[in-house]
Amino acid sequence: MFLFNLTKFNETVNTLVWTKVGVWLLIATGILLTILTGFFQVSHMGHWMKKTVGSLFEKKVKGHTEDKGSISQFQALCTALAATVGVGNIAGVAAAIMSGGPGAVFWMWVAAFFGMMTNFSENILGIYYRRRNEHGEWSGGAMYYLEDGLGGYKGMKHVGKILAVIFAICAILASFGIGNMGQVNKIVLNFTGAFKCKALSDHVLYSSNGKDVTLYMLIIGIVLLVVVGIVVIGGLQRIALVAEKIIPFMVIMFILGSLGIIFGNVTAIGSAFKAIFTMAFSKQALWGGACGVSLKTIITMGCKRGVFSNEAGLGSSVMVHSNSNVVEPVKQGLWGIFEVFADTIVICTMTALTVLTSGVIDLKTGVAVTDDDSTLVAEAFNTVFKVGKFEYGRYFIALAITLFAFTTVLGWSHYGTKAVEYLSGRRAPVVTKIYKVIFVCMILSGALMTSSIAWDISDTFNGMMMLPNLIGVLSLSPLVMKLTKNYVDRRLKGKDVKPMLSHFPEIEAENEQIIKETGED
């Protein structure tokens, strides 16, 4: 009865946060920032491409920093992608299509297009308002630009502080759900489903909600607990080191695998794109048979899953981008644009096209070969990667979800740690260690979880993180515009203008000296 009431209450709050407020505020923020920055993601596309993916082989971007309190720009990107490129890129995209139809993909693109500038702005503010903690490590994120930025306006000191605290609390709670138990549960279910081990699976420990918890699930949970524990306890430097090794490999492999499916069904590409665009605006699409899907559902599912995938607007990835060794706020903003581009425009589009071109869903009726979102993608891969009864596609997706979800857990452990650090103040060194121990222990709960309530509640906390963050970004949008103009004038137009590098005079002076000594551009 308690779980039933909790589920109902969560559904009400989730609908309010996401459907009635969140999605529209998210899109409005992205549109406003796009206009204020002169459609920067388009007008300066060549520049941000050059300074991100075009600079990956430069030592100052990819090389490890000697400063133990920061990580390289590439490591910051990989760690942020570690948290964003997760189950949402596979199961989330499939779920959006199954619930909202192919048209949901179009709205994922829309959310990503404007989300680029939201993420850009978050990263700029994160770098501008960051400060060093007592260990010399950079600390930044929505908590700080809410407290020092929004709170710096006349009469807004307490409002900024309250919103910062709300954001931090929601970030911690979300880290246990969407950043831990939900991801681990997906790993366990997909791994045990793809790689059968009858001896372990037949050994049932207990049953709950009509589902069996087996010895196989427990063993995988213990393995994950140990591996994640070794990495997380090692701190950001170790998380970043692992992320920069895994992320590029898994992203490239997933893209290559997806392209294999898409080109293996090349004749269906035209039909897939036609379905995406025609069903994006249908008031009552044929998708889903007689019931149909409303335009509101299509837009909501697309935008919601887009945010779930790239996290633009949540204010989460800012906490790791703020640890970059970069001194220019806008330079890290450029990586924010690329992060959303890589996550949604590239990876999520690959997933969507594999589903829509492979025939695992009827583009007219919406009938799918399976009701499970992650299994649907596996079935799409099996249309090409299958030899006799040996289904390579199923194994490939199981491994992909394992790696994607594993790195998401690592990334979110850092987010939660930074939120705990903000709330703890002087007690942060002790409290963050306690948090990490609890976080690692919660992995076992995720492995043995039989209810989706933890996942559902964390989805709500995601939305509750988003609201104060977007309020902060909107209130500081004039500053974002000034910082962007300052960067463009100095770096692109060659004007002799004093740089705007930090909210704090001492850090501003330190960064100016670094630029003079290194000639950083």
Side-chain angles (χ1 to χ4, degrees):
M1 188 65 180
F2 171 74
L3 283 179
F4 175 79
N5 291 331
L6 181 62
T7 301
K8 284 294 182 183
F9 176 75
N10 180 69
E11 288 176 354
T12 302
V13 177
N14 189 283
T15 300
L16 175 65
V17 171
W18 277 105
T19 309
K20 296 185 178 180
V21 180
V23 168
W24 308 109
L25 181 61
L26 184 72
I27 295 176
T29 302
I31 291 174
L32 175 64
L33 292 167
T34 296
I35 294 171
L36 291 178
T37 57
F39 284 79
F40 191 96
Q41 71 270 55
V42 177
S43 61
H44 293 90
M45 184 175 183
H47 179 72
W48 63 259
M49 278 288 192
K50 178 183 176 182
K51 292 298 181 181
T52 54
V53 67
S55 66
L56 289 180
F57 296 102
E58 295 180 16
K59 186 177 180 180
K60 63 182 179 181
V61 172
K62 195 172 182 180
H64 292 183
T65 175
E66 295 180 2
D67 180 5
K68 297 301 180 182
S70 63
I71 56 179
S72 71
Q73 297 170 47
F74 180 67
Q75 285 181 315
L77 171 70
C78 287
T79 308
L81 282 174
T84 55
V85 178
V87 174
N89 295 80
I90 299 177
V93 175
I97 294 173
M98 293 173 75
S99 302
V105 178
F106 174 84
W107 292 105
M108 285 180 67
W109 292 339
V110 170
F113 177 78
F114 294 114
M116 288 179 187
M117 295 318 298
T118 305
N119 213 30
F120 169 84
S121 303
E122 291 171 334
N123 283 357
I124 287 178
L125 296 171
I127 296 291
Y128 191 74
Y129 284 102
R130 70 180 178 177
R131 77 288 312 278
R132 298 266 189 186
N133 63 19
E134 60 183 41
H135 298 296
E137 183 179 280
W138 286 116
S139 294
M143 306 86 70
Y144 298 100
Y145 56 73
L146 280 167
E147 180 177 348
D148 297 328
L150 174 60
Y153 289 132
K154 186 176 180 180
M156 297 298 288
K157 180 179 179 180
H158 296 299
V159 174
K161 181 65 176 180
I162 291 171
L163 290 177
V165 170
I166 291 173
F167 175 88
I169 292 173
C170 290
I172 294 169
L173 294 173
S175 74
F176 289 128
I178 198 170
N180 187 327
M181 291 191 294
Q183 303 291 334
V184 170
N185 192 249
K186 277 291 185 182
I187 291 176
V188 171
L189 293 178
N190 278 275
F191 199 90
T192 55
F195 301 96
K196 305 289 186 181
C197 183
K198 196 172 185 338
L200 296 176
S201 295
D202 286 349
H203 193 102
V204 179
L205 300 178
Y206 63 89
S207 296
S208 178
N209 298 313
K211 298 177 182 178
D212 293 334
V213 174
T214 67
L215 180 61
Y216 195 8
M217 298 166 72
L218 175 62
I219 290 174
I220 294 175
I222 293 173
V223 171
L224 286 171
L225 183 149
V226 173
V227 175
V228 171
I230 292 172
V231 179
V232 168
I233 300 302
L236 176 61
Q237 293 283 344
R238 191 175 297 173
I239 292 173
L241 190 63
V242 172
E244 73 170 338
K245 302 298 182 187
I246 296 180
I247 292 296
F249 168 76
M250 73 180 192
V251 168
I252 291 172
M253 290 303 296
F254 185 75
I255 291 174
L256 291 176
S258 298
L259 288 174
I261 306 302
I262 295 166
F263 287 112
N265 299 283
V266 66
T267 56
I269 294 177
S271 299
F273 276 106
K274 181 181 179 181
I276 289 172
F277 288 106
T278 57
M279 294 188 183
F281 301 97
S282 57
K283 292 183 178 180
Q284 196 71 20
L286 292 176
W287 187 265
C291 295
V293 179
S294 68
L295 179 60
K296 184 178 180 181
T297 300
I298 296 172
I299 296 174
T300 302
M301 283 305 301
C303 292
K304 186 176 177 179
R305 290 301 172 181
V307 176
F308 178 76
S309 168
N310 59 53
E311 297 183 11
L314 293 189
S316 51
S317 65
V318 189
M319 289 183 268
V320 71
H321 278 288
S322 296
N323 284 99
S324 169
N325 62 353
V326 73
V327 297
E328 283 268 12
V330 174
K331 283 191 70 176
Q332 202 60 37
L334 304 181
W335 287 103
I337 296 176
F338 179 74
E339 179 189 341
V340 176
F341 175 82
D343 182 275
T344 304
I345 302 299
V346 177
I347 301 174
C348 287
T349 298
M350 291 291 103
T351 303
L353 289 178
T354 58
V355 170
L356 296 176
T357 61
S358 60
V360 295
I361 284 186
D362 189 308
L363 295 181
K364 294 182 179 179
T365 65
V367 176
V369 297
T370 176
D371 293 329
D372 184 73
D373 41 40
S374 54
T375 303
L376 186 69
V377 182
E379 290 297 330
F381 270 73
N382 281 337
T383 60
V384 173
F385 298 125
K386 183 178 181 180
V387 178
K389 293 183 179 180
F390 198 77
E391 300 176 335
Y392 290 97
R394 181 158 57 95
Y395 302 130
F396 180 85
I397 291 300
L399 288 174
I401 286 179
T402 298
L403 286 175
F404 279 24
F406 170 73
T407 54
T408 297
V409 173
L410 297 183
W412 269 92
S413 72
H414 178 67
Y415 298 165
T417 299
K418 282 300 178 183
V420 168
E421 178 186 297
Y422 172 79
L423 293 175
S424 304
R426 294 180 180 178
R427 296 171 296 171
V430 175
V431 180
T432 52
K433 287 179 181 178
I434 295 173
Y435 164 80
K436 287 179 181 180
V437 171
I438 296 173
F439 183 89
V440 172
C441 291
M442 293 293 282
I443 289 173
L444 208 54
S445 298
L448 306 179
M449 188 169 65
T450 58
S451 171
S452 64
I453 185 64
W455 185 277
D456 296 336
I457 291 176
S458 62
D459 186 40
T460 301
F461 283 124
N462 256 10
M464 292 175 69
M465 283 173 62
M466 177 177 63
L467 295 181
N469 176 61
L470 291 179
I471 291 171
V473 172
L474 282 171
S475 66
L476 295 169
S477 57
L479 175 60
V480 171
M481 186 168 59
K482 288 179 182 178
L483 289 168
T484 304
K485 185 178 185 304
N486 179 270
Y487 176 87
V488 171
D489 285 344
R490 288 185 298 110
R491 299 300 188 188
L492 301 183
K493 296 182 179 180
K495 294 183 179 181
D496 185 15
V497 181
K498 181 178 172 57
M500 296 175 64
L501 305 174
S502 176
H503 173 70
F504 305 102
E506 64 276 13
I507 298 178
E508 174 90 15
E510 178 186 325
N511 289 344
E512 286 182 1
Q513 188 62 33
I514 292 174
I515 291 177
K516 288 178 181 179
E517 292 176 355
T518 62
E520 182 175 325
D521 60 4

